[in-house]
Amino acid sequence: MNDTPKKGWFQRLSDGLSRSSKQMTDQVVSTFVKEPLGEEALERLEEHLLESDLGPAATDRIVERFRELRFGKGASEIEVKEALAEAVAAELVHRQATFDPLGTEGVAGGIKPFVVLFVGVNGSGKTTTLGKIAADLTGKGAKVMIVAADTFRAAAREQLKVWAERAGAHFESRKDGADAAGLAFDAYQKARTEGFDVVLIDTAGRLQNKSALMDELLKIVRVLKKIDPDAPHETLLVLDATVGRNALEQERIFGRTAFVTGVVMTKLDGTARGGVLVPVAQASDAPLKLIGVGEGVEDLQPFDARAFSRSLVGLED
Ligand SMILES: Nc1nc2c(ncn2[C@@H]2O[C@H](COP(=O)(O)OP(=O)(O)O)[C@@H](O)[C@H]2O)c(=O)[nH]1
Ligand SMILES: [Mg+2]
């Protein structure tokens, strides 16, 4: 029997970000608690923020805020953390948006089925993120179809099928090497006739052949638009936080095709440099919508700038 109380979402977020927050707390916070705020401490703050991958632009602004704050000698740890959390949140609040396919901008607003396309390089967490979303949606009573448009690898299809079964979602696939766009088109048609609420389309992420991959993604988008010019209604770019600043390069590659409507940052639990979320959110044209802080279904969370920032510096909700 397991009588441990279910963890709240903020606790999951904090646990997921614990490696990053430890880094922040050990370095940044101790700088200010130990010595009065002077130029030297500010320089050290700058170094530590850069080491946390917050990026030069946000780092400059945060250091500037701290300069203006003029902490007295021996500021308390909480004071420093609160100030840092606020400074980080200020970098992110304008970069957050909600993903709610069942809400008024989706099914409740008459867009049914609501089509979501998942893009990103192999290993970024597309399939896992899609699976977590499927489980969440079926849990809310939605009729969900999962489409395995990553048609190149049998293993990829199998992995997705397991998620579909677990979530109780309908699964559409074809054999190896089948035309991904053809599959997506037929599946979307079927979803319309059969009254599905949401269609989740997984795609391949072979970056070895960038132009072929982009052509394939654009072709999928093009055929979906033949059915509804507004489809896909959401295109989520999935980025892995553990690759650090390479995530910025991936954002550039996929973002350039200009159809991304939301960013998902996964594996924040797998890095001590979760600060990389900041430059990625700022570089992307599309807002950040979801974050992954673990492998469990409940470890995919809506992105909340304030909660993220507080967790990042080890503060309570
Ligand atoms: N720790 C952790 N692992 C994750 C997270 N998201 C995905 N993964 C893992 O990352 C690996 C690659 O994910 P996958 O969904 O197959 O990536 P894809 O190639 O983009 O479809 C898998 O082992 C996942 O379990 C996350 O938020 N946290
Ligand atoms: Mg996959």
Side-chain angles (χ1 to χ4, degrees), residues 279-294:
V280 169
Q282 291 177 342
S284 165
D285 286 332
L288 198 63
K289 296 200 167 173
L290 298 162
I291 55 172
V293 291

Side-chain angles (χ1 to χ4, degrees), residues 121-128 132 159 266-267 269 292-295:
V121 305
N122 278 339
S124 62
K126 285 184 301 299
T127 302
T128 307
K132 290 171 176 174
Q159 181 197 2
T266 63
K267 306 190 210 178
D269 55 309
V293 291
E295 293 190 272

Side-chain angles (χ1 to χ4, degrees), residues 28 31 35 39-49:
V28 180
T31 299
E35 55 187 305
E39 276 312 306
E40 235 174 84
L42 286 170
E43 262 170 42
R44 207 138 44 230
L45 171 65
E46 181 175 5
E47 255 169 54
H48 295 324
L49 292 176

Side-chain angles (χ1 to χ4, degrees), residues 81-234:
K81 284 182 176 180
E82 290 281 354
L84 191 54
E86 236 170 77
V88 173
E91 295 293 321
L92 293 169
V93 276
H94 305 296
R95 305 300 311 141
Q96 80 181 45
T98 42
F99 170 71
D100 183 14
L102 304 180
T104 50
E105 280 169 35
V107 176
I111 304 175
K112 180 181 165 168
F114 188 89
V115 181
V116 187
L117 190 66
F118 292 78
V119 304
V121 305
N122 278 339
S124 62
K126 285 184 301 299
T127 302
T128 307
T129 300
L130 185 157
K132 290 171 176 174
I133 289 172
D136 177 56
L137 294 174
T138 53
K140 289 172 177 159
K143 189 172 171 185
V144 177
M145 175 188 279
I146 290 176
V147 185
D150 181 356
T151 53
F152 270 79
R153 298 173 304 149
R157 208 161 50 233
E158 276 313 304
Q159 181 197 2
L160 191 61
K161 194 172 173 202
V162 170
W163 274 108
E165 281 163 5
R166 198 182 300 167
H170 178 78
F171 184 68
E172 286 287 326
S173 71
R174 272 180 200 168
K175 54 181 188 306
D176 278 3
D179 176 37
L183 167 62
F185 181 84
D186 291 347
Y188 184 17
Q189 283 284 26
K190 179 172 174 177
R192 271 162 75 103
T193 24
E194 297 187 8
F196 278 86
D197 294 306
V198 182
V199 179
L200 305 174
I201 306 175
D202 198 13
T203 65
R206 306 169 307 276
L207 216 48
Q208 301 89 307
N209 192 340
K210 219 170 5 190
S211 64
L213 174 61
M214 292 306 155
D215 285 350
E216 180 173 294
L217 292 177
L218 288 170
K219 191 172 164 200
I220 292 174
V221 170
R222 212 159 50 233
V223 300
L224 294 173
K225 286 191 186 305
K226 284 187 188 167
I227 299 174
D228 175 359
D230 292 332
H233 307 103
E234 181 90 79

